[in-house]
Every structure is written in structure tokens, then in C-alpha cells.
Amino acid sequence: MIISRFQFPFQRILDVKENEKSQAQLEMAESLKVQVDLERSVSSLEQQIYAMRLRLEQRQLDGLSITDLLKEEEHIAYLERQLQQKKNELMQAENQVSEQKDTLASKVKEEKTWQSIKETRKEEFQRDMQILEQNELDDLTTVRAYLLTRNG
């Protein structure tokens, strides 16, 4: 009886596709982390600016000097410039995440395609093995029947 083990002839390609998918997942995770960090930074700056404006309004009602007012306004303007810079970085990060989502989807599709090819080939191999085994059993049955009729 022939006992054979299935070997996928394109296993190296499948391995490469799986590695590419894993790499794309890691890059996506890193980009998402950057995006989340930038979102937190933007939110924190927005809260700082809002709180400073509220304090400045209250201090103006209490009689704030012009020089202090200018200093506070200058600091708020500085924070607003930082906020705009972070928003620009966030937009870039969002674009990068979007591109990496597309790349990851493509890698997943490629890996699934090769995995499907492997499964199809494995099923074909198993069917062929079953046919071979059945043919061998049929041959044995034929020989046995022949021997029984000859000796019987």
C-alpha cells in the first residue's frame, strides 16, 4: 500500500504571503497607536486652550493689566499653533492608517488565495490517494477471488 504525505509545491510562496500579512498587521498597529496618541494630544491642547481662555476672561473681569493680557494671548496663540501642527500630523497619520488598511486588506486577500489553492490541492491529493487505495483493495480482492476459485 502506498502511503504518501501531501506536500504543497508553493508552500514557500504561502509562507511569504503569511509573513507579508503579519508585517502589514504590525505596521497597521503602529500607525493606529500614533494616530491615537495624536488624537489625545489634540484633545489635550484643545482643553488647555479652552481652560486658558476661561481663566483669561475671568481675569479680565477682575482687572488684568495690558502686559499680562498680552502675555496670556501670546501663550494661547502659541498653543493654537501647536494645536494646528498636531492636527496636520493627525491628518497625515489618518491617511497613513487608511493606506495601511488597504495594504493589509490586499495582503489578507493574497494569503487567503494561496491558502485556498493549498486546500484545493490537498483535497485533490486526498481524492487521488483514496482512488489509489481503492484500486489496490480492488486488486487484492480480485487476486483473492482468483485464488479462491483456483483452489476451490
Side-chain angles (χ1 to χ4, degrees), residues 120-131:
T120 302
R121 293 278 180 95
K122 187 175 184 178
E123 289 168 6
E124 290 170 356
F125 173 81
Q126 289 170 338
R127 269 195 311 275
D128 291 346
M129 286 294 103
Q130 286 176 339
I131 290 169

Side-chain angles (χ1 to χ4, degrees), residues 58-117:
Q58 186 57 46
R59 289 182 66 199
Q60 282 176 332
L61 294 176
D62 295 340
L64 181 67
S65 72
I66 294 289
T67 55
D68 287 342
L69 175 66
L70 289 174
K71 282 183 187 177
E72 292 290 326
E73 285 291 340
E74 190 176 306
H75 188 65
I76 289 172
Y78 169 76
L79 290 178
E80 286 175 338
R81 286 190 302 274
Q82 276 190 323
L83 175 62
Q84 189 56 50
Q85 181 181 350
K86 291 292 180 188
K87 284 182 175 181
N88 291 341
E89 290 174 25
L90 179 58
M91 277 180 39
Q92 291 173 350
E94 288 169 345
N95 289 338
Q96 187 171 2
V97 166
S98 178
E99 288 173 12
Q100 288 179 334
K101 277 182 185 177
D102 294 343
T103 299
L104 179 57
S106 170
K107 297 299 179 189
V108 166
K109 185 177 177 183
E110 288 175 13
E111 189 256 351
K112 281 184 179 179
T113 298
W114 282 100
Q115 193 66 41
S116 175
I117 291 169

Side-chain angles (χ1 to χ4, degrees), residues 16-26 104 107-108 111:
V16 167
K17 295 303 176 185
E18 288 171 346
N19 288 338
E20 287 176 351
K21 180 186 82 170
S22 296
Q23 184 65 34
Q25 288 172 325
L26 289 174
L104 179 57
K107 297 299 179 189
V108 166
E111 189 256 351

Side-chain angles (χ1 to χ4, degrees), residues 142-152:
T142 303
V143 168
R144 184 169 183 231
Y146 172 75
L147 291 175
L148 285 174
T149 57
R150 249 186 74 194
N151 294 335

